[in-house]
Amino acid sequence: MTSRPPAAVGASPFAIELRAVCKSFASVQANQDINLGIKPGEVRGIVGENGAGKSTLMAIASGLYRPDAGQVLVQGVERHFKSPHDAIAVGINMVHQHPMLVPSCTVAQNVALGESGPAVLDLDAIAEEVRTLAERYGLKVDPSARVETLSPTERQRVEILTALRRGQTLLILDEPTSVLGEADIGGLFATIRRVAAEGCAVIFTSHKLREVTEICSAVSVMRHGRLLTTVTREEADADELARLMVGDALVDAAAGSPRGRARDGGAPAGERGAVLRVVQRQRTGGDGAVHELQVGAGEVLGIAGVEGSGQRELVEAITGVGPSGTYAVEFDGSDITALGVTERARLGIAYVPEDPNVEALVPDFPVSWNLALREYRDPAMRRRRWFLDEEALRARAAASIEAFDVRGAAGTTRTAVLSGGNRQKVVLARELARDPRLLVIVNPSAGLDVGATQYVYEVLCRHRDRGAAIVLVSTELDEIETLSDRIAVLYRGAVVADLSRAAADRRKLGLLMAGLGTASTEPPAWSAT
């Protein structure tokens, strides 16, 4: 199957045009009178707070939802999409923030999913097409590899290649850099520019406003379900876009680096002693690696590294969600390497993963049930032995929803209908309700708007100041530098540096993350040395 041109072309300057589009879910008006046109070859940014209506609008454009009112026109021809398949047929494809792939299938098999044709597909021919497209657009991936073995960056490349192979009128990229380290973002932008130069319209939705102003020629701002304004790249910088998104209630770092630490001149980190000690075993001396990491009470240890440098393995070892691998783990002086997730949670270890939909929430459960997933065995949560006390769950949920400002939610609200930022707040509320001794959190601002990001940072700082030890894993150097007291760098599965924040300048971190720096270890602030 080769790339094909769109099926029909009308007398319109737009690749896609949305006219007076409205969409509601029960009493919530997700989109109201949206008018938007994207020209061929244009890269248009769509920004707005979590819950502003961006995802709903993109779902309508890609055929996932049908509008309650209004029109969708593709190259001047009105379309009534019944499914994403109808949108794909006229060249509209969406690459979702969380890739929608079959992990057990190969790259070539995933690329071929959903296409009509012969009963037996020529997978060798499809694999060759994938190789050709990958080379053409700079999207390196092995067509024969199983998706379950790929990194998040490589999975995203598979989805983009799938879309490009189908032939393009419009390519929608939903938070495409949320899974990427800084080294991969430049490559993605080069691909976007190449696609646009060939005449494909591109929609780029993101909360990373500096990236939006770098790649997009114009940016449309949404607020409360409405399209507020559209500005050119020259008319608005990241700060101005943030002001438009959230009004006059600007956060300190609206352009993507909220100042969350608020500890200048404060007490030294970890003054109440070490909480976590992780030792990397089975490594010979003299390899330049740091073999031990520690984090103290009231301290934030940032873990930096390009995507795929061993962050997942380290997190799994600390939290118990996966094998300990080469790591031995001590918590409050006791060896917990052999303990499972439940036992570690009871000791006071909390975990907020990068993708709460997959690893931390049951989207079809109501918010009250998701908030109780850690403690549903608690007798206080049960009316009788086998039945949950729904009244107690709802009361507890109401308190958490208010405390963590989970917008648009009640205890009975199905979690799936919440925005990404509000789902993140649900996970935080559940994990922090137990006042944990140690919190492990991964890419906390991924997919969040500037207001939600600032809120999450403030929550982390409050718990740090109350004495919690925090391990922060992030591919965002701004995030690491903003929140961390110490910064450890991973490279190819090894910890190659453990530095104080003052000693970890951006250039040194970049070299270490690329494997070009010199390993260094400094004693923690609470160390006897």
Side-chain angles (χ1 to χ4, degrees):
M1 182 176 178
T2 58
S3 296
R4 59 185 184 276
V9 178
S12 171
F14 299 114
I16 187 169
E17 186 178 7
L18 306 174
R19 295 180 181 174
V21 166
C22 299
K23 182 67 177 178
S24 296
F25 298 95
S27 61
V28 178
Q29 185 80 45
N31 289 157
Q32 187 167 351
D33 295 322
I34 301 290
N35 291 283
L36 180 69
I38 315 292
K39 296 179 179 179
E42 178 184 359
V43 181
R44 174 69 65 89
I46 306 288
V47 300
E49 291 186 277
N50 290 113
K54 305 184 303 296
S55 296
T56 299
L57 191 64
M58 295 305 99
I60 290 171
S62 61
L64 188 62
Y65 293 158
R66 300 181 69 178
D68 298 333
Q71 297 173 292
V72 178
L73 291 86
V74 180
Q75 296 186 316
V77 178
E78 185 174 1
R79 301 288 180 177
H80 299 277
F81 300 142
K82 296 180 180 179
S83 70
H85 184 77
D86 292 342
I88 290 169
V90 293
I92 296 177
N93 288 274
M94 183 169 177
V95 176
H96 297 266
Q97 179 181 356
H98 305 291
M100 303 176 71
L101 302 170
V102 181
S104 60
C105 290
T106 67
V107 169
Q109 288 169 335
N110 271 279
V111 169
L113 285 176
E115 70 179 42
S116 58
V120 179
L121 295 173
D122 187 344
L123 290 177
D124 289 337
I126 293 171
E128 187 56 38
E129 288 184 50
V130 172
R131 290 189 187 93
T132 300
L133 283 171
E135 182 176 352
R136 177 179 175 183
Y137 292 102
L139 298 167
K140 184 180 179 182
V141 68
D142 178 5
S144 63
R146 292 193 180 277
V147 166
E148 61 193 359
T149 68
L150 302 181
S151 69
T153 300
E154 291 171 320
R155 295 186 188 198
Q156 182 191 76
R157 291 173 184 168
V158 175
E159 288 222 328
I160 295 175
L161 287 169
T162 301
L164 295 175
R165 182 172 171 272
R166 290 167 172 164
Q168 291 303 305
T169 299
L170 173 68
L171 177 63
I172 302 172
L173 300 172
D174 181 22
E175 296 288 346
T177 64
S178 65
V179 299
L180 303 183
E182 293 191 7
D184 295 311
I185 292 173
L188 173 65
F189 283 4
T191 298
I192 292 173
R193 292 187 179 102
R194 176 68 180 271
V195 170
E198 294 178 355
C200 177
V202 179
I203 292 179
F204 184 95
T205 73
S206 179
H207 295 303
K208 300 180 181 180
L209 302 183
R210 291 193 182 97
E211 294 175 3
V212 170
T213 57
E214 178 181 347
I215 192 63
C216 300
S217 55
V219 184
S220 295
V221 182
M222 296 187 67
R223 193 197 298 177
H224 304 314
R226 294 180 177 272
L227 182 62
L228 184 66
T229 187
T230 296
V231 295
T232 66
R233 181 190 306 170
E234 293 75 23
E235 290 174 331
D237 59 15
D239 290 330
E240 175 62 12
L241 288 175
R243 188 193 67 79
L244 291 169
M245 285 169 53
V246 302
D248 294 328
L250 276 175
V251 292
D252 184 24
S257 304
R259 307 291 188 256
R261 299 185 75 253
R263 203 225 285 264
D264 293 339
E271 61 184 11
R272 285 177 286 276
V275 172
L276 176 74
R277 178 171 176 260
V278 182
V279 179
Q280 194 163 26
R281 306 170 297 190
Q282 300 175 16
R283 287 192 176 275
T284 59
D287 60 1
V290 179
H291 298 275
E292 179 177 312
L293 286 177
Q294 299 186 46
V295 58
E299 181 181 39
V300 179
L301 174 66
I303 307 294
V306 299
E307 195 278 324
S309 294
Q311 295 96 322
R312 175 173 290 274
E313 291 79 6
L314 177 61
V315 167
E316 289 180 347
I318 295 171
T319 60
V321 301
S324 60
T326 64
Y327 293 101
V329 184
E330 290 184 6
F331 181 71
D332 278 339
S334 299
D335 187 350
I336 63 169
T337 307
L339 298 184
V341 175
T342 301
E343 291 84 359
R344 297 189 197 203
R346 288 172 180 163
L347 290 174
I349 298 177
Y351 175 38
V352 179
E354 178 180 9
D355 187 353
N357 292 325
V358 174
E359 301 178 79
L361 295 172
V362 183
D364 286 334
F365 277 10
V367 170
S368 61
W369 289 17
N370 273 294
L371 286 168
L373 285 178
R374 287 287 193 192
E375 298 177 332
Y376 66 90
R377 295 183 180 88
D378 187 336
M381 293 293 102
R382 293 180 175 275
R383 178 170 297 172
R384 293 192 297 273
R385 182 177 180 184
W386 301 111
F387 297 94
L388 292 173
D389 187 337
E390 292 286 354
E391 185 175 340
L393 291 179
R394 285 195 293 271
R396 191 168 184 174
S400 294
I401 289 167
E402 180 179 1
F404 283 80
D405 189 26
V406 185
R407 299 180 185 180
T412 56
T413 303
R414 196 165 64 97
T415 307
V417 306
L418 300 180
S419 67
N422 285 304
R423 294 186 202 186
Q424 182 86 319
K425 290 178 181 179
V426 170
V427 179
L428 275 170
R430 185 185 69 214
E431 295 300 302
L432 296 178
R434 297 174 295 115
D435 198 18
R437 285 272 291 156
L438 172 68
L439 172 65
V440 181
I441 187 166
V442 182
N443 286 337
S445 66
L448 302 190
D449 62 57
V450 291
T453 296
Q454 180 73 9
Y455 178 84
V456 169
Y457 286 5
E458 290 171 353
V459 168
L460 295 180
C461 291
R462 285 202 301 269
H463 281 265
R464 172 207 65 194
D465 293 343
R466 288 167 57 184
I470 298 176
V471 175
L472 166 69
V473 181
S474 180
T475 55
E476 296 284 338
L477 281 181
D478 282 343
E479 191 160 72
I480 291 287
E481 292 175 333
T482 295
L483 293 169
S484 302
D485 299 296
R486 302 185 62 78
I487 300 175
V489 180
L490 286 174
Y491 177 72
R492 292 186 176 178
V495 182
V496 296
D498 181 2
L499 305 167
S500 67
R501 183 174 179 270
D505 61 76
R506 180 64 64 96
R507 181 176 181 276
K508 177 182 283 187
L509 288 175
L511 290 171
L512 289 165
M513 289 166 63
L516 301 174
T518 302
S520 174
T521 306
E522 299 176 355
W526 39 263
S527 170
T529 60

